[in-house]
Amino acid sequence: MPDSNFAERSEEQVSGAKVIAQALKTQDVEYIFGIVGIPVTEIAIAAQQLGIKYIGMRNEQAACYAASAIGYLTSRPGVCLVVSGPGLIHALGGMANANMNCWYMERCMSPPISMAETSAVCMAASVIRNAKQPLLIIGKGAAYAHAEESIKKLVEQYKLPFLPTPMGKGVVPDNHPYCVGAARSRALQFADVIVLFGARLNWILHFGLPPRYQPDVKFIQVDICAEELGNNVKPAVTLLGNIHAVTKQLLEELDKTPWQYPPESKWWKTLREKMKSNEAASKELASKKSLPMNYYTVFYHVQEQLPRDCFVVSEGANTMDIGRTVLQNYLPRHRLDAGTFGTMGVGLGFAIAAAVVAKDRSPGQWIICVEGDSAFGFSGMEVETICRYNLPIILLVVNNNGIYQGFDTDTWKEMLKFQDATAVVPPMCLLPNSHYEQVMTAFGGKGYFVQTPEELQKSLRQSLADTTKPSLINIMIEPQATRKAQDFHWLTRSNM
Amino acid sequence: MPDSNFAERSEEQVSGAKVIAQALKTQDVEYIFGIVGIPVTEIAIAAQQLGIKYIGMRNEQAACYAASAIGYLTSRPGVCLVVSGPGLIHALGGMANANMNCWYMERCMSPPISMAETSAVCMAASVIRNAKQPLLIIGKGAAYAHAEESIKKLVEQYKLPFLPTPMGKGVVPDNHPYCVGAARSRALQFADVIVLFGARLNWILHFGLPPRYQPDVKFIQVDICAEELGNNVKPAVTLLGNIHAVTKQLLEELDKTPWQYPPESKWWKTLREKMKSNEAASKELASKKSLPMNYYTVFYHVQEQLPRDCFVVSEGANTMDIGRTVLQNYLPRHRLDAGTFGTMGVGLGFAIAAAVVAKDRSPGQWIICVEGDSAFGFSGMEVETICRYNLPIILLVVNNNGIYQGFDTDTWKEMLKFQDATAVVPPMCLLPNSHYEQVMTAFGGKGYFVQTPEELQKSLRQSLADTTKPSLINIMIEPQATRKAQDFHWLTRSNM
Amino acid sequence: MPDSNFAERSEEQVSGAKVIAQALKTQDVEYIFGIVGIPVTEIAIAAQQLGIKYIGMRNEQAACYAASAIGYLTSRPGVCLVVSGPGLIHALGGMANANMNCWYMERCMSPPISMAETSAVCMAASVIRNAKQPLLIIGKGAAYAHAEESIKKLVEQYKLPFLPTPMGKGVVPDNHPYCVGAARSRALQFADVIVLFGARLNWILHFGLPPRYQPDVKFIQVDICAEELGNNVKPAVTLLGNIHAVTKQLLEELDKTPWQYPPESKWWKTLREKMKSNEAASKELASKKSLPMNYYTVFYHVQEQLPRDCFVVSEGANTMDIGRTVLQNYLPRHRLDAGTFGTMGVGLGFAIAAAVVAKDRSPGQWIICVEGDSAFGFSGMEVETICRYNLPIILLVVNNNGIYQGFDTDTWKEMLKFQDATAVVPPMCLLPNSHYEQVMTAFGGKGYFVQTPEELQKSLRQSLADTTKPSLINIMIEPQATRKAQDFHWLTRSNM
Amino acid sequence: MPDSNFAERSEEQVSGAKVIAQALKTQDVEYIFGIVGIPVTEIAIAAQQLGIKYIGMRNEQAACYAASAIGYLTSRPGVCLVVSGPGLIHALGGMANANMNCWYMERCMSPPISMAETSAVCMAASVIRNAKQPLLIIGKGAAYAHAEESIKKLVEQYKLPFLPTPMGKGVVPDNHPYCVGAARSRALQFADVIVLFGARLNWILHFGLPPRYQPDVKFIQVDICAEELGNNVKPAVTLLGNIHAVTKQLLEELDKTPWQYPPESKWWKTLREKMKSNEAASKELASKKSLPMNYYTVFYHVQEQLPRDCFVVSEGANTMDIGRTVLQNYLPRHRLDAGTFGTMGVGLGFAIAAAVVAKDRSPGQWIICVEGDSAFGFSGMEVETICRYNLPIILLVVNNNGIYQGFDTDTWKEMLKFQDATAVVPPMCLLPNSHYEQVMTAFGGKGYFVQTPEELQKSLRQSLADTTKPSLINIMIEPQATRKAQDFHWLTRSNM
């Protein structure tokens, strides 16, 4: 990269940069994420002069993930500024992710609202009325469409059980009495009518296929995107249009004749019983006193202190999957998840985006970013970004010393006694007892290394109490791989 | 990403993985870099069972950069193992870099050796003999072709001045009396005949065009790759073939008639004088006692203790450019540079690759990885990888609190007194006085925060003395942006 | 291409082909266009056995253009069957064209119908009521949505002037008293409110920008595709939804209060006067007796005999542009045009697609395919396809011996007297007096070479009378390039 | 496409065009093929003014195929000029073909010559000397490298049997006594050492694998392109370098010790016997008197009159495969073949390119273009181009009424008695007895419809005698599908 002298930049560059910055301003851009270099530095400066906020990141991947979350959070375009060449290629991951999750970058105007065909609405209402075991599934599309008011009314007025997808959480609060998240598998498996609000029948929903669903289940699909309708299963009714507008159409139609789904039905009874037994099972896991802690113990203690209005960002394998079932959302668009792809590396970028938005629009709200230890490694250097801008983020690294699993320190040392690490370390293992919290203290934030429930409780309390600094809590859990290292077959080479 | 249970993996997966691992072994693969996940974990395990070394990285970008360096270092293919989808996209940066730098990944057999046409060799010899102001430029291609023996003989037998490109450094030692690196601009500008050994006339060599060169300079191009010949300028003679083989042809031809370039020529005199004055100028800079230190001070102290046989890896803007002129290489293929692209983020991947190779092939050699602070941020989490495998790497982070430049702590604090950081932090600034060395101590390595020449000397001595652990030395230098923050024009918004 | 013995094809190929054919049948595919070869022959045969019609073409380009038209004509998917490799690449042109024109290939289910937001409909109705100089523009999207009934009602009930785009012609008949096509430029330039029904503000509509439009013209955009809304101009109102459904919403809203646009307004007067003068001008051109004929003479004679229910397909430069203004459409989806791209080579593929559809769905209807002579050359060999399947197509080749212009025979001969053709033939010239009609007689169809209005009338009469055979009428017109060949500057070489 | 007025083109366009034309001239461009349109017309005119020849084609596909052949024929770049958008996409087929066949478009300078490593040459010579059953295979690369002199010397001096690949034909004349083309399968199957001169082990050479080859056959590969070496099999010796230069190295090495392969060896005896019996078998087929004619009859009669110095261009399935075995080449680079891909549609473009080159460089040479009837359809309209420029081309359309096979007229008529053609015509059938010769007469060339050997002889004689006009001879052969139409299973639909 040729050397750049700040003083030398040409008049042409400056005026070109001003034109680009003005164009971004005209398109209502509020936030730019990026890494400057020749020749984009001037654009960042020009944008700041117009009042656009520029957040300098440490790797283009994270910058692009951050930018991609802005559209979802603010319905205005997020911009990622990178130099061409390698910077652009680094940013590709973020762009692919935005696309798969159907988010918008650089979108220009809010789209006009469309409604569903009247006759299709009638048919949908009739199918719902005649359902014996109905279920609503609330997806990210419902959150994006700001459909919380209409969907909540539908749930409550007709007493219908509902289930959120990961990013649909909070459209109706997770602790709503009609939320059957704790009986998810049961609800999916036995529902006879399922209404999908901006939710896709992808792998997270088992593609809508038996044996996870009844073979003759009727799907009613409410979506803005025609291409998504009927992708895996042929829906009984499809309502194409803005999800909030269509839900209002549905409410209007259902209102014509007094009706509600009987709260004492066998279906409700089944679901409530299953919820009760599932919740008891996970509470039992959570209450285990053995150390290192397990996932449930950790998440129950986090949930106890989780502010009602916080954002939750999460990525990882078990960390994201189990965390999602325990940590509750009460507000729409307050959960950001690794999503459809299972993309690793999105967490810190998402958290940073949520934090800069929260600082402006809902000051005082925390961003709780729950990361697996492997997931944290993809973009851990963004902790410097968090500290530089002093963002209200608490990072929880749920640390099992590996990907899916790892070794404890003793086993690790034993393994390395006789051989070099590059020859014998199993591919999913990371260094045991890594002090990720020091990556935070290195930049002036607070760091905690916790091994017991008490330490966890205390560190959470302190982190939440001090609103002047970000924190990272490094939470040691069971590495799972409890067998002795020498038992592992990969240490017995087959043909040497 | 669906949960994976290690015990559950199917027989099919295992046997498919074995086939792939065996294919890699057959192609002489020695090292795999990657991040496991479904379904590639089995491949990594199967490869380890066959004696292939697997190095688990923290981000696919770094994994791919590491793999791309293996081909250059070992002439055998390096492999990057990632899951498809986002992992693959993250790896693209590395693949593009390998391509631009003309390195080989997954190459199958060493190519046969070709030689230049006899008549062209004669003509080249004649042009060299008749040169008044000759210059040899030794490029990465010469290193890759293992042409050190023949080129050194050419230099010494005929007493020709030479200049290495960044990755050509060490083919002939940098401290060789005929190396005119310290008079680089002068040598390029006035040479009348330039012989390029595997060096491309790209931006690093100013495209071979005036005013950096004589308009009628004659280029003799020695290269294996026909596509690269005559790209920017029309060479006087082109010698297509294996660089080592062609240099031997050239030696044979020149040997036919006794000749050498006169060591007392005006050209040699001019070059020697320029070298002397340039070296004096940079020594003066280096000897400045003011604090914070400047680049030259830092690199002179590093050079003093640099082991002769170490690998030097470098990336950054000024850090790489100035470091390259001061830090000397004595062995071929012992320097890895951000290269043609100026790609940021390659440093730690390259260093890790060099370290695993050095551990196997030349135990006891250190890898000195010289990073700008911004550059370090692209892949800083790979420090955990370095510690996990306990690799012989010393990381030097040359820290000016920003990209090209930054603020000192006082200016920083003053700037944030009245406004939020997201609104006013200039785009090239990073957090002042970041303790990057703690990113190393977090994982059990040694860390040093140094602000004076004495601290630098001491930390280098300690790092080099303890061969059981990697180190990171965080070297604070002048942030350059010494003006008061409020002077900066971007704080005076134009239209708010 | 390896030799193929029909008898030798394996059982595997046959059963694989059956599966693919069955899948196409399940998706309601009625027509396949293609060129067989290994290994797709079996698929074509298997498809025919299931009752799918297979039309063998002569070049993959034309096959793909034909397939792309099927979706527009039948609302069911058209399929193009080609071998991979070069066949696939040949077909790319067609696929790109389908995409640019927003047609669908291989679509799976008819999309659900969406409607516009009620409040937006109200606003649109209000804007229309308050328009002083309203204009409706009917685009291809309206034809595709089968919106003819609702739009015709809107036009007639409220007495609104309308203008069709090339492929919007016929949604409301071109000879409707409210069609202001003959005053197109005037209507666009002075309208104060323009309602776009499935029409895009692309280059055909001068991007909706001054000076072709009033700077403050209000656009109301009715479209199914959100991405198309507000592309070049910011519309006053956007109605997102199925065009037929939205137009009915609009009718319902306007019906609430009795209103119609005054037929004696100054706007209507202006438009009618302009139409009268424009029609007079082109009639005068058409009545010129000089030979060779001009475009207007040709098209007026064609229009006189054009069956009301025929399909018109057209491509070329002036041929398409002028032909479009004279040849009238009375039925929707009965015009196929080279379209948005100006793609050359689509004509015969489109005509063949229209013919196979017409044979099945509206027997007795002719396809009139109006081609420039250069345009005909792109896919002229498909005449064999037309004859092989004996399709009801009359090809009119409007022949001016070149692209945009050419030479007459005498000038041509004079030009070649002294020099070789490859050295001097101007790039836009084709062979004068080419007997394209013999390309039709070569395959058993009827061919006519016509030079006068009388010959044109007679040949049209005969072609239309004989429904057992396709025809090609090669119509010689003024080549325009009437200057002597030696005047042309390209014959005076500048530096030889 | 917007209308273009020739007079209106701007000064900017003209001067931009001149710059491009001058750049093409500087790169030694002699021929441009293309289709003009906005904005490339000016470029074509400007190029003509500089003496570059412009050949206007009818479809971008053919234009690009023509341009791609120029590099092979003249070792100078061929250029294809098309408008962007659809024109560019149409041209893709040609570009892909150029790439697969390793031809060069727009190449800038002739590459320097490289030679093989001396030790490898020694080893190759030793392997050849020790061969019991040696075979040389002469490929297109040998023709492209102009290696005819050295390879012929190698063949004759050491009495080695050789075999040409399709485009290697003529490097050594096909009628050379050491050519064993007539025993091709035998030669490949039993050779113990095979030297490949610029020939690739692709499907045409059965990938070099058993059972078509001895499992332990030793390959010596001579090639300019390192990437091609050792692709499918691991060669015993590889000689990387310019094929002519390397062959001369080989000759020099073999010359050191007197040796020749014994002409009375068992290997030569086996090959000669096989050649004799194969030639007898095909002569018997050729002498069959039954009508319609078969392929062998046709090609034997063509071969009898084929001028020794003509170019042969060919495409089709059996037409190309059988024609290649009978029609002989005596000069290098005088055969152009559909090649590696089996790309259909290349024939007329190649023939036109060969004709414009021949007119300039070897006036009086004919281009004989041998096309299957289906192949002709891909670009048949280029016959107008041939006539426009009056090119010395004789087109032979070997017509069996279909792709691989077709029906005779009686069967065809019977088949259509009861059903519509679109429903029942088998996918490989074309219209029987199509008069393709009229596509030639339409543009003033000569056309012949021939059904007997006598008619074929006479038409060839007349075509070759009249050098003022191109001809097309439409040669009817056995359609092969002699069974009655109703026997074909595809007429018995399985599920209707």
Side-chain angles (χ1 to χ4, degrees), chain A residues 22-212:
Chain A
Q22 188 57 56
L24 295 174
K25 182 80 186 170
T26 308
Q27 292 191 20
D28 273 344
V29 169
E30 236 178 313
Y31 303 104
I32 296 176
F33 300 84
I35 300 183
V36 295
I38 296 162
V40 302
T41 310
E42 322 314 351
I43 298 173
I45 294 171
Q48 283 187 311
Q49 288 175 335
L50 298 177
I52 299 176
K53 290 183 176 162
Y54 174 83
I55 298 95
M57 307 284 286
R58 300 306 299 257
N59 186 307
E60 292 90 349
Q61 263 177 27
C64 203
Y65 291 136
S68 75
I70 287 294
Y72 180 71
L73 292 166
T74 69
S75 297
R76 288 162 72 177
V79 168
C80 180
L81 185 68
V82 299
V83 296
S84 62
L88 193 61
I89 295 167
H90 286 171
L92 274 180
M95 287 193 264
N97 191 60
N99 198 41
M100 277 303 284
N101 279 325
C102 297
W103 293 355
Y104 296 96
M105 291 178 74
E106 307 224 21
R107 189 175 43 78
C108 298
M109 49 172 279
S110 61
I113 286 170
S114 66
M115 291 160 60
E117 196 186 12
T118 317
S119 66
V121 174
C122 292
M123 198 191 304
S126 156
V127 171
I128 292 170
R129 276 174 194 285
N130 291 305
K132 294 233 166 55
Q133 311 197 148
L135 178 68
L136 312 184
I137 298 182
I138 303 171
K140 178 174 53 201
Y144 189 67
H146 289 240
E148 49 266 22
E149 181 204 310
S150 56
I151 292 179
K152 187 161 180 245
K153 196 168 166 197
L154 186 75
V155 164
E156 296 186 338
Q157 196 146 322
Y158 304 106
K159 307 203 184 303
L160 294 163
F162 77 92
L163 206 59
T165 67
M167 287 181 55
K169 279 163 70 81
V171 168
V172 182
D174 279 348
N175 66 342
H176 193 283
Y178 297 160
C179 176
V180 296
R184 187 178 183 275
S185 297
R186 182 66 54 103
L188 296 179
Q189 197 175 355
F190 294 106
D192 67 341
V193 169
I194 294 179
V195 193
L196 298 158
F197 292 92
R200 273 89 202 247
L201 292 173
N202 57 19
W203 65 265
I204 292 175
L205 287 177
H206 316 291
F207 304 108
L209 300 174
R212 303 297 211 123

